Amino acid sequence: MRKTILFAMVAGTLLVTSCASKKDLVNCQNENRELTNNYQDTKEKLAAANARVASLEDQLAQQKKDNAALQKNLSQSLSNASSNNVNISKLVDQINESNQYIRHLVEVKSKSDSLNMVLTNNLTRSLSKEEMKEVDVQVLKGVVYISLADNMLYKSGSYEINDRAEETLSKIAKIITDYKDYDVLIEGNTDNVPVNTAAASMKNIRNNWDLSALRASSVVQYLIDHFNVAPKRLTAGGRGEFNPLASNDTATGRQRNRRTQIIITPKLDQFMDLIDKAPEDSNK
């Protein structure tokens, strides 16, 4: 009985000791795995940090080279500038003159544009609604274009001015008279339908060139005779069928092309004055 009890006690002690040792072993194994993982992670971070350091060192070295090159170029530039100070001064003067001339041109253009817009507004306000249906007024690149349909001005198939034209031309004549610093080109245009030379032979019309030129000349003469517009300000020209606004394949297109344009521009000598005021080339 005593032996049995003693044996049981020894066996229990061994069992307890065995369980405790196994638990410690498992804990140790877990700690070891954790330490191993931490070690591996630290190695990877260290390698990445070393790579970044190497890259930064390369960038720093390149930047030092670039700075050295810039300092060398700056020294050379300062040296050249010192030896060429007179040339630099001339260059600055030329730039200033050029800028002044540009400002002058901008002011002239602005003034011209403003005058043209006033001219256009005055004319369109003076025309009636019926007249505006057959009159087109535009400002393009500083030039005023007044385009009138042929049936507003001429008798059918003729270059003679009709009775209907007087009222419209009187308003245009007033604009021309008010703006005495502008020149005026009267330009005739036709469609591409040939003139009836048999019917027109007595009127000295051989083709569309003749018709367009004679129509423009008739408007010029009318402005001089009826409204005392100065002849030296007027120029008459014909362009025949060769300056169309639309296709001559349709009746509407041909009607648009049969027109007389009154083109109002600043006097040419004003632009010549601007050229005379251009900065001279100091190298000449």
Side-chain angles (χ1 to χ4, degrees), residues 99-219:
N99 288 336
Q100 183 178 1
Y101 181 54
I102 291 172
R103 287 194 294 270
H104 177 63
L105 289 180
V106 170
E107 290 174 0
V108 170
K109 182 180 183 302
S110 177
K111 181 179 179 181
S112 176
D113 289 345
S114 298
L115 286 173
N116 287 337
M117 289 306 299
V118 171
L119 184 155
T120 302
N121 291 335
N122 288 344
L123 178 60
T124 53
R125 280 200 299 267
S126 67
L127 296 173
S128 67
K129 290 183 179 179
E130 290 301 316
E131 288 173 321
M132 285 301 297
K133 292 178 181 179
E134 298 178 284
V135 178
D136 181 37
V137 182
Q138 295 183 16
V139 177
L140 300 174
K141 298 182 179 180
V143 178
V144 179
Y145 293 83
I146 307 170
S147 184
L148 301 98
D150 65 334
N151 57 3
M152 287 189 70
L153 300 177
Y154 314 106
K155 296 178 181 178
S156 178
S158 171
Y159 56 85
E160 295 180 11
I161 302 297
N162 61 28
D163 297 334
R164 184 183 171 205
E166 182 174 3
E167 185 175 358
T168 301
L169 288 178
S170 68
K171 296 171 183 177
I172 294 175
K174 184 178 186 309
I175 293 293
I176 294 173
T177 304
D178 289 345
Y179 290 84
K180 59 184 179 180
D181 291 331
Y182 285 69
D183 282 332
V184 182
L185 168 63
I186 312 298
E187 180 185 276
N189 295 269
T190 69
D191 57 27
N192 68 344
V193 177
V195 297
N196 187 340
T197 55
S201 60
M202 295 300 293
K203 300 179 181 179
N204 300 318
I205 301 175
R206 296 166 297 179
N207 50 39
N208 281 327
W209 277 111
D210 284 347
L211 179 60
S212 63
L214 287 169
R215 283 182 167 181
S217 180
S218 294
V219 173

Side-chain angles (χ1 to χ4, degrees), residues 222-235:
Y222 198 90
L223 291 172
I224 295 170
D225 294 342
H226 290 75
F227 307 111
N228 298 317
V229 177
K232 66 180 181 180
R233 297 179 56 196
L234 302 174
T235 301

